[in-house]
Amino acid sequence: MNNRVSSKTVVDLDFDKQHIWHPYTSMTAPIPCYPVTSADGCLIQLQSGEQLVDGMSSWWASLFGYNVPALNQAATKQLGKMSHIMFGGLTHQPAVDLAKTLVEITPDGLNKVFFSDSGSVAVEVAIKMALQYWQSLGYAKPKFVALKKGYHGDTFAAMSVTDPDGSMHELYQDFVAKNYFTKQPTIAFDQEWNDSEMYELTKLLEEKHNQIAALILEPIVQGAGGMHFYHPNYLKAVRKLCDQYNVLLIADEIATGFGRTGKLFACEHAQISPDILCLGKAITGGYMSFAATLTTKKVANTISQGKAGVFMHGPTFMGNPLACAVANANLAMLFNSDWKLLVETIALQLQQQLTPCNKLKAVNKVRVLGAIGVVELHQAVDLASIQKQFVDAGVWIRPFGKLIYIMPPYIIKQSQLTKLCDAIFQVCEELSK
Ligand SMILES: *Cc1c(COP(=O)(O)O)cnc(C)c1O
């Protein structure tokens, strides 16, 4: 504390360790952090001088890498007008433009847009929408159905629909609302479909639908809960069951949205539209935190004509113009690029270069979908030591549990992706010794 005004140009790692919490870490025994000074394209510049190829897209968020001229320009231009202005009683062109684009590109029927500040909040908003919808119609439906191994965020309503077993959320279980969980879809994306997959969920809905406001899922890819890719027919069947049993369907595309799985939205693999859709992460191309929850005219109007007469949510930074401007530039880049070809090319290379890991003893199985590559091990890794091995190999990959996975920016070069895949193979080979 004696050195309040630091003249240091290097990151004060000691202060960081003493005073700053990082995601999901201990304050007394934190895993080492690597100071970053800048990032450009797919390269992360460490303070030590090393450059790392980015395999994580900063947790699904970056599509075109870092320090992107068009995004910088959009941000700078918007800063000169206004960085922020309250959204209560005021509106602006960046928000209108973004909403127009989102209505146009998302699955049919989703044409009412609620902007918020992060993915977890977008999920909270979706949950409130579903509750208020049924309330407005005079039903008491206070429960939700979610999938085991699902992940929807770290705030409390989001936690209440995130897998309660083996996740950190069980720490708060006495406080978290109790919802229903159905088994994780077991039939993989490219396996043969069997209707028996739906048996348990059908039974649950048959018995409990009177209490259930909505079913929430991550379409096709269950992300943080296990990087599992499931069959599109599951989504189709869920859509049918929700209609049959008067349950809304919430699709959480916070991780899968904007092309990551090979379709613009993962719902398109099954050609279904949810009643409520959550977007986040890549919406600003990884530049800043922003999210949106979209719903149908039917849901929005029902809420608006209910007892409250309004939808009860309104974050301070709702519709932040700076984030909207960057999101608009990011989506313009996406549609001006051949993103589908970029994602397919990454998928092909991931297939070719990660598949050899299958023969290693430490590896359980390899799977690839779109620009997502996963090597599932038999045993959980030691994060600190494996992270160092990856940094030494010149790549940024952050595994969790038994999963080593990458989802690089779409503009990654072939040689950079090879470097990521080679590093994974080497680390798995080492683990197999
Ligand atoms: C990351 C994520 C969230 C939470 O988003 P935050 O911006 O971290 O709050 C919710 N759902 C899914 C599927 C996610 O991947």
Side-chain angles (χ1 to χ4, degrees):
M1 284 315 216
N2 52 4
N3 191 16
R4 274 179 190 224
V5 184
S6 167
S7 58
K8 281 182 191 162
T9 52
V10 295
V11 175
D12 189 340
L13 264 184
D14 195 46
F15 186 91
D16 185 289
K17 196 170 165 184
Q18 299 285 337
H19 298 282
I20 308 179
W21 236 306
H22 284 264
Y24 316 115
T25 54
S26 155
M27 202 79 251
T28 52
I31 285 169
C33 275
Y34 297 85
V36 175
T37 51
S38 63
D40 191 87
C42 289
L43 293 176
I44 299 170
Q45 179 68 53
L46 294 188
Q47 182 174 278
S48 60
E50 288 160 290
Q51 279 191 334
L52 308 181
V53 175
D54 178 29
M56 304 304 294
S57 293
S58 286
W59 279 337
W60 314 84
S62 168
L63 299 182
F64 298 102
Y66 304 89
N67 197 20
V68 183
L71 302 189
N72 291 356
Q73 207 174 30
T76 311
K77 200 168 150 207
Q78 185 56 41
L79 276 174
K81 294 180 185 163
M82 58 187 165
S83 178
H84 183 64
I85 192 79
M86 65 185 282
F87 214 47
L90 297 171
T91 194
H92 47 81
Q93 199 59 39
V96 173
D97 287 344
L98 180 57
K100 265 191 194 165
T101 305
L102 293 180
V103 166
E104 195 187 305
I105 65 175
T106 50
D108 284 349
L110 299 164
N111 47 30
K112 309 286 177 181
V113 185
F114 191 101
F115 291 124
S116 63
D117 20 32
S118 78
S120 299
V121 176
V123 171
E124 300 284 321
V125 165
I127 284 174
K128 278 190 176 179
M129 280 180 180
L131 289 172
Q132 254 192 270
Y133 172 78
W134 292 111
Q135 250 171 34
S136 300
L137 290 173
Y139 291 84
K141 276 168 159 293
K143 298 281 184 195
F144 289 79
V145 179
L147 274 49
K148 289 200 178 137
K149 303 287 177 195
Y151 175 81
H152 298 287
D154 291 353
T155 53
F156 273 94
M159 275 198 286
S160 79
V161 288
T162 288
D163 191 329
D165 298 323
S167 72
M168 60 198 160
H169 304 151
E170 71 186 0
L171 292 170
Y172 318 105
Q173 57 181 319
D174 294 339
F175 188 79
V176 177
K178 298 274 181 289
N179 285 311
Y180 296 110
F181 288 88
T182 188
K183 76 178 178 97
Q184 179 181 37
T186 45
I187 303 176
F189 186 81
D190 47 9
Q191 272 179 332
E192 199 168 328
W193 176 254
N194 187 325
D195 283 332
S196 65
E197 179 87 318
M198 306 314 297
Y199 180 75
E200 193 192 292
L201 177 60
T202 306
K203 203 155 161 254
L204 175 67
L205 290 174
E206 220 170 75
E207 283 168 17
K208 309 284 188 197
H209 67 273
N210 280 336
Q211 309 166 26
I212 295 169
L215 183 150
I216 183 168
L217 48 67
E218 298 152 276
I220 304 297
V221 176
Q222 290 190 292
M227 302 298 292
H228 173 60
F229 310 150
Y230 66 82
H231 202 287
N233 283 3
Y234 184 88
L235 263 190
K236 281 190 191 148
V238 164
R239 177 67 275 182
K240 267 202 201 125
L241 286 171
C242 286
D243 289 339
Q244 188 182 340
Y245 288 107
N246 261 337
V247 165
L248 295 177
L249 175 58
I250 303 171
D252 177 352
E253 293 235 20
I254 291 165
T256 49
F258 307 106
R260 183 57 66 178
T261 69
K263 301 277 187 190
L264 193 55
F265 296 99
C267 282
E268 294 174 19
H269 287 286
Q271 291 148 328
I272 60 124
S273 286
D275 301 291
I276 302 174
L277 174 74
C278 302
L279 300 174
K281 291 198 164 115
I283 193 167
T284 61
Y287 261 52
M288 66 263 278
S289 185
F290 196 69
T293 308
L294 280 82
T295 192
T296 60
K297 184 174 164 191
K298 183 175 158 200
V299 170
N301 287 5
T302 303
I303 289 170
S304 307
Q305 286 152 13
K307 200 168 83 194
V310 295
F311 179 59
M312 278 313 259
H313 208 91
T316 306
F317 286 95
M318 185 169 180
N320 176 250
L322 188 59
C324 287
V326 172
N328 286 326
N330 174 51
L331 296 180
M333 266 188 94
L334 187 66
F335 296 115
N336 286 330
S337 74
D338 197 344
W339 63 266
K340 228 176 162 143
L341 182 68
L342 294 174
V343 170
E344 274 166 21
T345 308
I346 292 172
L348 214 70
Q349 199 183 337
L350 287 172
Q351 290 279 9
Q352 281 166 1
Q353 297 185 338
L354 288 181
T355 305
C357 294
N358 266 324
K359 66 170 192 246
L360 298 171
K361 215 168 65 192
V363 173
N364 183 6
K365 53 183 182 274
V366 172
R367 50 187 180 266
V368 171
L369 182 71
I372 314 167
V374 184
V375 177
E376 185 170 333
L377 306 171
H378 290 293
Q379 274 170 11
V381 297
D382 173 49
L383 184 56
S385 107
I386 205 167
Q387 203 173 260
K388 184 169 182 312
Q389 287 174 56
F390 280 130
V391 169
D392 290 345
V395 298
W396 181 243
I397 297 173
R398 190 174 161 88
F400 71 87
K402 295 177 187 175
L403 300 163
I404 299 178
Y405 64 102
I406 48 175
M407 55 261 186
Y410 299 170
I411 47 122
I412 193 160
K413 293 193 182 89
Q414 197 183 353
S415 58
Q416 292 174 324
L417 191 51
T418 298
K419 194 165 176 179
L420 287 167
C421 294
D422 284 354
I424 291 176
F425 186 86
Q426 272 162 29
V427 162
C428 289
E429 202 173 34
E430 196 61 36
L431 288 169
S432 302
K433 277 180 185 162

